[in-house]
PDB file of all heavy atoms in Angstrom:
ATOM      1  N   LEU A 186     -37.145 -27.449  37.784  1.00  0.00           N
ATOM      2  CA  LEU A 186     -35.877 -26.921  37.273  1.00  0.00           C
ATOM      3  C   LEU A 186     -35.145 -26.120  38.353  1.00  0.00           C
ATOM      4  O   LEU A 186     -33.923 -26.215  38.493  1.00  0.00           O
ATOM      5  CB  LEU A 186     -36.132 -26.038  36.049  1.00  0.00           C
ATOM      6  CG  LEU A 186     -36.560 -26.764  34.765  1.00  0.00           C
ATOM      7  CD1 LEU A 186     -36.947 -25.752  33.686  1.00  0.00           C
ATOM      8  CD2 LEU A 186     -35.450 -27.676  34.263  1.00  0.00           C
ATOM      9  N   VAL A 187     -35.898 -25.312  39.115  1.00  0.00           N
ATOM     10  CA  VAL A 187     -35.277 -24.545  40.207  1.00  0.00           C
ATOM     11  C   VAL A 187     -34.707 -25.487  41.257  1.00  0.00           C
ATOM     12  O   VAL A 187     -33.579 -25.315  41.739  1.00  0.00           O
ATOM     13  CB  VAL A 187     -36.307 -23.576  40.822  1.00  0.00           C
ATOM     14  CG1 VAL A 187     -35.762 -22.948  42.111  1.00  0.00           C
ATOM     15  CG2 VAL A 187     -36.670 -22.473  39.834  1.00  0.00           C
ATOM     16  N   TRP A 188     -35.479 -26.505  41.624  1.00  0.00           N
ATOM     17  CA  TRP A 188     -35.025 -27.462  42.651  1.00  0.00           C
ATOM     18  C   TRP A 188     -33.792 -28.228  42.179  1.00  0.00           C
ATOM     19  O   TRP A 188     -32.867 -28.473  42.954  1.00  0.00           O
ATOM     20  CB  TRP A 188     -36.162 -28.429  42.961  1.00  0.00           C
ATOM     21  CG  TRP A 188     -35.750 -29.557  43.857  1.00  0.00           C
ATOM     22  CD1 TRP A 188     -35.531 -29.523  45.201  1.00  0.00           C
ATOM     23  CD2 TRP A 188     -35.489 -30.907  43.443  1.00  0.00           C
ATOM     24  NE1 TRP A 188     -35.151 -30.764  45.661  1.00  0.00           N
ATOM     25  CE2 TRP A 188     -35.114 -31.632  44.610  1.00  0.00           C
ATOM     26  CE3 TRP A 188     -35.535 -31.579  42.223  1.00  0.00           C
ATOM     27  CZ2 TRP A 188     -34.791 -32.985  44.560  1.00  0.00           C
ATOM     28  CZ3 TRP A 188     -35.219 -32.927  42.181  1.00  0.00           C
ATOM     29  CH2 TRP A 188     -34.851 -33.607  43.350  1.00  0.00           C
ATOM     30  N   TRP A 189     -33.754 -28.569  40.893  1.00  0.00           N
ATOM     31  CA  TRP A 189     -32.689 -29.427  40.363  1.00  0.00           C
ATOM     32  C   TRP A 189     -31.426 -28.642  40.028  1.00  0.00           C
ATOM     33  O   TRP A 189     -30.310 -29.075  40.341  1.00  0.00           O
ATOM     34  CB  TRP A 189     -33.222 -30.150  39.117  1.00  0.00           C
ATOM     35  CG  TRP A 189     -32.246 -31.075  38.443  1.00  0.00           C
ATOM     36  CD1 TRP A 189     -31.323 -31.894  39.031  1.00  0.00           C
ATOM     37  CD2 TRP A 189     -32.112 -31.281  37.029  1.00  0.00           C
ATOM     38  NE1 TRP A 189     -30.619 -32.596  38.089  1.00  0.00           N
ATOM     39  CE2 TRP A 189     -31.088 -32.249  36.856  1.00  0.00           C
ATOM     40  CE3 TRP A 189     -32.757 -30.769  35.910  1.00  0.00           C
ATOM     41  CZ2 TRP A 189     -30.697 -32.680  35.584  1.00  0.00           C
ATOM     42  CZ3 TRP A 189     -32.384 -31.218  34.654  1.00  0.00           C
ATOM     43  CH2 TRP A 189     -31.356 -32.156  34.502  1.00  0.00           C
ATOM     44  N   LYS A 190     -31.554 -27.478  39.412  1.00  0.00           N
ATOM     45  CA  LYS A 190     -30.402 -26.812  38.816  1.00  0.00           C
ATOM     46  C   LYS A 190     -29.982 -25.491  39.469  1.00  0.00           C
ATOM     47  O   LYS A 190     -28.867 -25.034  39.221  1.00  0.00           O
ATOM     48  CB  LYS A 190     -30.678 -26.542  37.329  1.00  0.00           C
ATOM     49  CG  LYS A 190     -30.548 -27.768  36.426  1.00  0.00           C
ATOM     50  CD  LYS A 190     -29.089 -28.211  36.336  1.00  0.00           C
ATOM     51  CE  LYS A 190     -28.909 -29.331  35.323  1.00  0.00           C
ATOM     52  NZ  LYS A 190     -27.494 -29.763  35.236  1.00  0.00           N
ATOM     53  N   VAL A 191     -30.849 -24.875  40.236  1.00  0.00           N
ATOM     54  CA  VAL A 191     -30.527 -23.549  40.772  1.00  0.00           C
ATOM     55  C   VAL A 191     -29.926 -23.683  42.165  1.00  0.00           C
ATOM     56  O   VAL A 191     -30.572 -24.207  43.075  1.00  0.00           O
ATOM     57  CB  VAL A 191     -31.776 -22.654  40.807  1.00  0.00           C
ATOM     58  CG1 VAL A 191     -31.466 -21.306  41.468  1.00  0.00           C
ATOM     59  CG2 VAL A 191     -32.308 -22.426  39.391  1.00  0.00           C
ATOM     60  N   PRO A 192     -28.711 -23.209  42.371  1.00  0.00           N
ATOM     61  CA  PRO A 192     -28.094 -23.277  43.701  1.00  0.00           C
ATOM     62  C   PRO A 192     -28.590 -22.129  44.582  1.00  0.00           C
ATOM     63  O   PRO A 192     -29.135 -21.136  44.090  1.00  0.00           O
ATOM     64  CB  PRO A 192     -26.598 -23.110  43.393  1.00  0.00           C
ATOM     65  CG  PRO A 192     -26.582 -22.248  42.166  1.00  0.00           C
ATOM     66  CD  PRO A 192     -27.795 -22.631  41.359  1.00  0.00           C
ATOM     67  N   GLU A 193     -28.390 -22.277  45.875  1.00  0.00           N
ATOM     68  CA  GLU A 193     -28.668 -21.168  46.796  1.00  0.00           C
ATOM     69  C   GLU A 193     -27.554 -20.140  46.649  1.00  0.00           C
ATOM     70  O   GLU A 193     -26.382 -20.471  46.688  1.00  0.00           O
ATOM     71  CB  GLU A 193     -28.738 -21.677  48.238  1.00  0.00           C
ATOM     72  CG  GLU A 193     -28.967 -20.576  49.262  1.00  0.00           C
ATOM     73  CD  GLU A 193     -30.212 -19.770  48.967  1.00  0.00           C
ATOM     74  OE1 GLU A 193     -31.310 -20.350  48.968  1.00  0.00           O
ATOM     75  OE2 GLU A 193     -30.064 -18.556  48.704  1.00  0.00           O
ATOM     76  N   THR A 194     -27.952 -18.873  46.463  1.00  0.00           N
ATOM     77  CA  THR A 194     -26.972 -17.818  46.222  1.00  0.00           C
ATOM     78  C   THR A 194     -26.814 -16.851  47.386  1.00  0.00           C
ATOM     79  O   THR A 194     -25.947 -15.982  47.350  1.00  0.00           O
ATOM     80  CB  THR A 194     -27.361 -17.006  44.966  1.00  0.00           C
ATOM     81  OG1 THR A 194     -28.658 -16.424  45.158  1.00  0.00           O
ATOM     82  CG2 THR A 194     -27.394 -17.911  43.737  1.00  0.00           C
ATOM     83  N   LEU A 195     -27.642 -16.997  48.409  1.00  0.00           N
ATOM     84  CA  LEU A 195     -27.523 -16.101  49.559  1.00  0.00           C
ATOM     85  C   LEU A 195     -26.268 -16.440  50.348  1.00  0.00           C
ATOM     86  O   LEU A 195     -26.071 -17.585  50.770  1.00  0.00           O
ATOM     87  CB  LEU A 195     -28.757 -16.230  50.459  1.00  0.00           C
ATOM     88  CG  LEU A 195     -28.750 -15.374  51.731  1.00  0.00           C
ATOM     89  CD1 LEU A 195     -28.767 -13.883  51.388  1.00  0.00           C
ATOM     90  CD2 LEU A 195     -29.943 -15.729  52.614  1.00  0.00           C
ATOM     91  N   GLN A 196     -25.417 -15.467  50.541  1.00  0.00           N
ATOM     92  CA  GLN A 196     -24.190 -15.667  51.296  1.00  0.00           C
ATOM     93  C   GLN A 196     -24.461 -15.524  52.783  1.00  0.00           C
ATOM     94  O   GLN A 196     -25.221 -14.662  53.208  1.00  0.00           O
ATOM     95  CB  GLN A 196     -23.127 -14.632  50.874  1.00  0.00           C
ATOM     96  CG  GLN A 196     -22.772 -14.696  49.398  1.00  0.00           C
ATOM     97  CD  GLN A 196     -22.155 -16.034  49.027  1.00  0.00           C
ATOM     98  OE1 GLN A 196     -21.300 -16.549  49.748  1.00  0.00           O
ATOM     99  NE2 GLN A 196     -22.588 -16.595  47.912  1.00  0.00           N
TER     100      GLN A 196
END
Side-chain angles (χ1 to χ4, degrees):
L186 289 173
V187 170
W188 172 76
W189 180 38
K190 283 291 186 180
V191 176
E193 178 56 62
T194 59
L195 178 65
Q196 301 297 316

